[in-house]
């Protein structure tokens, strides 16, 4: 998705705290960038190592985040069996009135008081009859600023195929992957077809190249932010490995769509804005913990990865708060999923 057009100058839409860094630190040697949408804990400056700082930039503010009030999370599972042309996918037959009788992947809303992974396991059990393990995040889909769908690759660990209908689903069945992709099954929608390809890719060799795995970190987040590039406090690659929050942050409110926030951040940080970087396409870390039920910190933190365009010269950073650093060791590149051979969950911004 192309980044949104901007009509405001930076000072009108983004506020940055006013400390300063020498001009010499504005340039660096790496051509990769990391972005993160995250939550605000409070307004006090954090000084203890590995504790989050206050946001470096701000686009609006969330007073609170509560599941089903102002944010919704959907958890979905892709489960495959057999190999090659015999590969099958587990689908459920919908019981909802609007799509009754049609087939879809096991999926449903995350309920307050459960983790994202707990929701996936529950939905699979209720809709298919099987127990499962959550193996890896395949994809994160974001619509606006308050709707997030997590699709996971899962594996069956027990149970029996559901045959008795109830309010969760009418039935569950294994279908040949080619038949599903070839319109031979009456589906509720085709929006999950790309997930089947991503699951098949992960299953073939991605599980060998996905370390560390990208699964939600169960940590309460009380708002929404985004992290971009490298903060000036990170002097070298060792700092990048040691710090919990090495990237600058921008807090944003629900009035700003996710894709808009990304666009505005790059416009604010780089002289040529989004013209010198590709649209973020992968997820490298997620923090989200919608429990306990009464919490007002059901927010989400999503770190995403994007790449500098090779056809352009290194982007000049406009703000003195950030700088590029060289990332050379395999350990660091793998931790932040910079290696092209690594499996990286996809990001889709609507």
């Amino acid at each position: 998705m192309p980044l949104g057009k901007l009509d405001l100058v930076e000072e009108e839409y983004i506020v940055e705290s006013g400390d300063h860094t020498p001009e010499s630190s504005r340039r660096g040697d790496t051509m990769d960038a990391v972005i993160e949408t995250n939550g605000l804990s409070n307004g006090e400056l954090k000084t203890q190592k590995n504790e989050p700082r206050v946001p470096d930039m701000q686009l609006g503010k969330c007073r609170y985040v509560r599941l089903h009030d102002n944010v919704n999370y959907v958890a979905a599972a892709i489960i495959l069996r057999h190999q090659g042309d015999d590969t099958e996918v587990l689908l459920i037959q919908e019981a909802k009135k609007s799509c009754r009788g049609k087939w879809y992947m096991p999926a449903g809303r995350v309920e307050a008081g459960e983790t994202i992974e707990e929701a996936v396991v529950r939905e699979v059990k209720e809709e298919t009859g099987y127990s499962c393990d959550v193996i890896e995040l395949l994809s994160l889909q974001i619509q606006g600023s308050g709707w997030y769908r997590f699709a996971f690759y899962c594996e069956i660990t027990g149970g029996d195929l559901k045959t008795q209908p109830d309010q969760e689903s009418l039935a569950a069945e294994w279908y040949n992957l080619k038949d599903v992709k070839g319109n031979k099954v009456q589906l509720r929608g085709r929006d999950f077809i790309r997930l089947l390809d991503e699951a098949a890719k992960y299953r073939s060799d991605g599980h060998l190249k996905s370390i560390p795995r990208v699964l939600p970190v169960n940590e309460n987040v009380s708002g929404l932010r985004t992290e971009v590039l490298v903060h000036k406090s990170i002097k070298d690659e060792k700092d990048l490995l040691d710090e919990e929050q090495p990237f600058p942050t921008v807090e944003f409110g629900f009035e700003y769509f996710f894709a808009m926030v990304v666009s505005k951040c790059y416009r604010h940080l780089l002289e040529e804005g989004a013209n010198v970087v590709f649209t973020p396409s992968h997820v490298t870390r997620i923090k989200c913990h919608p429990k306990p039920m009464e919490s007002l910190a059901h927010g989400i933190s999503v770190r995403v990865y994007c790449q500098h365009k090779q056809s352009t010269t290194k982007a000049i950073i406009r703000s003195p708060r950030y700088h590029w650093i060289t990332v050379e060791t395999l350990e660091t590149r793998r931790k932040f999923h910079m290696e092209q051979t690594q499996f990286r969950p996809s990001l889709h911004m609507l």
Side-chain angles (χ1 to χ4, degrees), residues 92-305:
I92 62 102
Q93 192 173 33
E94 292 283 10
K96 303 182 187 71
K97 185 177 180 180
S98 60
C99 52
R100 189 176 180 85
K102 296 183 179 180
W103 296 88
Y104 201 60
M105 62 181 173
R109 295 200 309 177
V110 178
E111 299 298 335
E114 65 181 351
T115 68
I116 307 295
E117 290 183 58
E118 289 170 345
V120 179
V121 173
R122 174 181 56 77
E123 289 291 344
V124 170
K125 184 65 175 179
E126 291 175 349
E127 296 185 344
T128 73
Y130 287 119
S131 301
C132 74
D133 281 342
V134 180
I135 305 301
E136 177 65 283
L137 180 70
L138 291 174
S139 178
L140 174 63
Q141 186 178 33
I142 303 174
Q143 186 168 359
S145 57
W147 187 89
Y148 302 78
R149 185 171 74 177
F150 306 82
F152 295 92
Y153 180 82
C154 300
E155 292 181 349
I156 298 298
T157 59
D160 297 302
L161 187 69
K162 181 177 184 176
T163 58
Q164 296 298 319
D166 58 25
Q167 63 180 6
E168 301 296 338
S169 67
L170 299 179
E173 188 59 79
W174 293 96
Y175 280 98
N176 184 275
L177 197 61
K178 288 187 174 181
D179 289 343
V180 175
K181 295 170 63 176
N183 286 319
K184 295 182 179 180
V185 180
Q186 189 177 20
L187 301 176
R188 165 185 158 182
R190 298 188 59 81
D191 58 318
F192 73 102
I193 296 299
R194 59 175 176 75
L195 297 176
L196 301 181
D197 294 329
E198 292 173 5
K201 179 181 178 182
Y202 173 80
R203 189 172 181 237
S204 63
D205 64 356
H207 64 288
L208 301 175
K209 302 176 180 178
S210 63
I211 305 300
R213 294 191 299 169
V214 181
L215 292 175
V217 177
N218 294 326
E219 183 175 310
N220 286 117
V221 179
S222 59
L224 305 169
R225 309 178 185 163
T226 191
E227 295 189 358
V228 188
L229 302 179
V230 181
H231 191 267
K232 69 171 188 178
S233 63
I234 306 301
K235 304 300 181 184
D236 52 32
E237 199 170 337
K238 182 180 183 301
D239 285 348
L240 194 62
L241 285 172
D242 291 343
E243 290 293 330
E244 163 65 19
Q245 186 175 310
F247 309 106
T249 62
V250 52
E251 179 186 3
F252 66 98
F254 284 108
E255 65 270 30
Y256 291 95
F257 285 4
F258 184 94
M260 183 190 303
V261 172
V262 173
S263 177
K264 288 181 181 294
C265 286
Y266 278 129
R267 177 77 174 268
H268 177 71
L269 291 169
L270 306 176
E271 282 198 359
E272 295 185 61
N275 293 327
V276 293
V277 291
F278 291 105
T279 302
S281 57
H282 296 95
V283 178
T284 63
R285 189 179 77 171
I286 293 175
K287 288 184 178 181
C288 185
H289 196 48
K291 59 188 305 184
M293 186 178 299
E294 64 275 11
S295 172
L296 297 180
H298 292 168
I300 186 171
S301 162
V302 182
R303 179 179 294 171
V304 300
Y305 174 86

